[in-house]
Amino acid sequence: MLGDVAAERLRSEGRIVVVGASLAGLRAAEALRAEGFTGSLTMIGDEPHEPYDRPPLSKQVLLGRAAAERTALPRLRAVDATWRLGVAASGLDMAARRVRLADGDEVPYDRLLIATGVRARPWPHEAEAELDGVFVLRSRDDSAALARRLDAGPRRVLVIGAGFTGSEIASACRERGLPVTVAERGEAPLVGALGGVVGAVAADMQREGGVDLRCGVMVTALEGDASGRVRAARLSDGSTVESDVVVVSLGATRNTEWLAGSGLGAGPRGIACDAGCRAFDIRGIVTDDIYAAGDVARCPHPLFGYQFLALEHWGNAVAQARIAAHNMIAESTERVPHMEVPSFWSAQFGVNIKSVGVPSLGTEILISQGSLESRRFVGVYGYQGRVIGAVSFDHGRWLPFYQELIETTAPFPPPFATVDRRPGAQRPVDAEFPDPSVPTHGPTVTLSGYSPADRRPTFVPAH
């Protein structure tokens, strides 16, 4: 626990370092200044750009309605920080409280916030990934490069993976009038995040939108021509798709490799934290000077069985950043937990898709309002007799109601009269989520168990 003198000294003279100059990092820096922190603040980012907004990259930028360089995040207040952009963090010395940078420099800290987020998972075959015309989409530069290639009018775009990002890319291409093939190894688009019942609706949307949708298949190889440009893809069903633009949308990898050997509880699933965003070390002991926020963090949530949730959600990054910033400079008795109910939205093929809670934890779904056929509905997910999540297609005004059901652990199926009980209304059915041992593209919530580290530590007796 910080004493009054120590707390005041931290607020006025402390050194806070934020690794990750994106949404979570910026909002945390603003929250620190808003809460009265007047010490030194250093922002470290591996990209040369100041913080920018990512959702427009797969929507407005690809449609040519916004330039990638005009997606900078609005500043809520001045942060008076030292910016170290274009240089990645390469290591962490927890004992000395220093962050090592790729350029050889070291930055000392009294409190450290890690908000390094995720990066796009690349095509696994390096030589094929380097073919001209093969893209991923995560960064501002990725989006700008892909938009330029779409402007050139490719003969056909192949999107590998039909999660949210892949589906939004396919939607943008069709809105541009470009031929698109989508290859998805699951049984339907969005199946990993929303299940097969809703995934079937997403599949119909894509096919009616003119997408050549191939489900239950994998791309086994990309082929290039003599000049090194991609020209075709071979699929696991023996077919070939000729394409001069390929967008690899195979999900994300959390940026934790730079923490290897540091002693922090970090691994491929992210950085394990307590409910107040304090990071664990590999022994499961919580640190008091290292925090994590945003896509890279995984925290236990009381509404979801205290499992560690890693969330790739815009709203979660903002809420978690503010909680982490508050707790970094607060007395232990004044710290608050991060208990935000996850929420997410997507726009594709003319439909607004929004969700609350953790649909992927559900085992059953009830179409409580509207209908699947109209593509205007609310689906409520149940798990062990309680409401665990909800998704809406062009019916988002009802989600606050279902969020309250989640927050109050309401029973499933919901008994309220406001739920659509017309004659013939659906009863709860299996949500048709795929076997978790079979990977699918595009989950936005990862349930990663209870262990604070992804590897088993080895304890060596002291000599």
Side-chain angles (χ1 to χ4, degrees):
M1 177 175 176
L2 287 172
D4 291 343
V5 174
E8 184 56 37
R9 181 172 295 172
L10 175 64
R11 283 175 170 270
S12 61
E13 303 175 16
R15 302 164 300 179
I16 293 183
V17 173
V18 178
V19 181
S22 191
L23 174 65
L26 176 62
R27 294 297 181 247
E30 292 169 337
L32 284 165
R33 294 305 191 199
E35 294 214 15
F37 176 69
T38 57
S40 72
L41 183 56
T42 302
M43 307 288 293
I44 298 169
D46 60 350
E47 293 186 61
H49 316 297
E50 291 198 5
Y52 57 87
D53 204 15
R54 295 188 189 276
L57 302 183
S58 59
K59 304 175 182 71
Q60 292 94 328
V61 173
L62 292 191
L63 288 169
R65 295 173 183 165
E69 61 270 18
R70 297 186 64 83
T71 55
L73 285 165
R75 299 294 180 88
L76 305 180
R77 63 181 298 125
V79 296
D80 187 24
T82 299
W83 294 83
R84 302 290 301 270
L85 299 176
V87 57
S90 60
L92 172 64
D93 187 333
M94 293 175 61
R97 290 184 172 181
R98 302 180 78 86
V99 175
R100 292 191 293 272
L101 303 183
D103 62 5
D105 200 3
E106 294 188 351
V107 183
Y109 64 85
D110 297 303
R111 294 287 185 272
L112 171 65
L113 176 64
I114 301 173
T116 45
V118 301
R119 64 185 183 277
R121 193 181 302 278
W123 184 245
H125 305 291
E126 187 173 349
E128 297 174 5
E130 292 178 353
L131 290 169
D132 183 24
V134 177
F135 297 86
V136 295
L137 180 55
R138 173 65 187 175
S139 71
R140 197 182 96 174
D141 293 344
D142 293 338
S143 183
L146 178 57
R148 287 194 297 269
R149 189 58 63 91
L150 297 182
D151 286 342
R155 295 191 308 276
R156 176 167 293 275
V157 178
L158 169 65
V159 180
I160 306 176
F164 280 108
T165 300
S167 296
E168 288 172 2
I169 294 168
S171 176
C173 289
R174 287 304 303 141
E175 194 165 337
R176 279 175 167 261
L178 298 172
V180 184
T181 296
V182 174
E184 164 59 48
R185 60 186 167 192
E187 294 305 312
L190 312 182
V191 68
L194 300 176
V197 172
V198 176
V201 178
D204 288 344
M205 285 167 43
Q206 292 206 15
R207 291 190 171 109
E208 289 184 18
V211 173
D212 172 26
L213 177 63
R214 318 275 188 98
C215 293
V217 298
M218 297 176 63
V219 175
T220 58
L222 301 178
E223 298 177 347
D225 59 21
S227 65
R229 294 196 63 170
V230 68
R231 68 173 187 85
R234 293 200 300 270
L235 275 57
S236 58
D237 61 3
S239 63
T240 299
V241 176
E242 294 188 0
S243 174
D244 47 346
V245 170
V246 174
V247 187
V248 179
S249 187
L250 298 178
T253 299
R254 288 173 172 81
N255 293 317
T256 58
E257 292 87 351
W258 66 283
L259 296 167
S262 68
L264 204 64
R269 293 176 179 175
I271 300 169
C273 307
D274 70 1
C277 301
R278 293 183 299 173
F280 287 102
D281 68 15
I282 61 171
R283 301 168 298 169
I285 297 175
V286 70
T287 64
D288 206 40
D289 55 357
I290 302 176
Y291 293 71
D295 296 357
V296 76
R298 55 190 183 107
C299 300
H301 202 301
L303 288 176
F304 306 103
Y306 289 96
Q307 289 218 51
F308 281 81
L309 299 186
L311 307 173
E312 296 174 34
H313 293 171
W314 194 97
N316 177 74
V318 173
Q320 206 167 43
R322 290 171 177 163
I323 294 292
H326 170 83
N327 290 343
M328 289 173 86
I329 57 176
E331 291 272 7
S332 61
T333 55
E334 297 174 352
R335 289 174 180 154
V336 293
H338 173 64
M339 294 193 297
E340 190 91 356
V341 174
S343 61
F344 180 78
W345 71 276
S346 175
Q348 50 188 269
F349 300 97
V351 174
N352 259 324
I353 302 173
K354 297 183 179 180
S355 76
V356 292
V358 185
S360 57
L361 188 58
T363 54
E364 296 179 283
I365 186 172
L366 168 71
I367 305 304
S368 57
Q369 291 168 272
S371 68
L372 297 173
E373 294 75 21
S374 69
R375 294 176 196 157
R376 183 179 170 83
F377 64 88
V378 175
V380 188
Y381 294 83
Y383 175 69
Q384 295 183 350
R386 54 163 289 209
V387 175
I388 204 74
V391 64
S392 69
F393 276 46
D394 280 346
H395 230 48
R397 70 180 184 277
W398 281 101
L399 284 191
F401 168 74
Y402 292 100
Q403 179 172 328
E404 185 173 347
L405 298 188
I406 296 166
E407 292 172 338
T408 56
T409 63
F412 179 87
F416 302 102
T418 50
V419 175
D420 193 343
R421 296 296 191 189
R422 300 164 306 171
Q426 291 192 34
R427 297 182 181 276
V429 297
D430 188 325
E432 298 180 8
F433 281 100
D435 184 332
S437 65
V438 180
T440 56
H441 308 316
T444 59
V445 179
T446 301
L447 298 175
S448 50
Y450 303 91
S451 172
D454 288 288
R455 55 187 180 278
R456 188 183 300 277
T458 300
F459 297 98
V460 180
H463 294 288

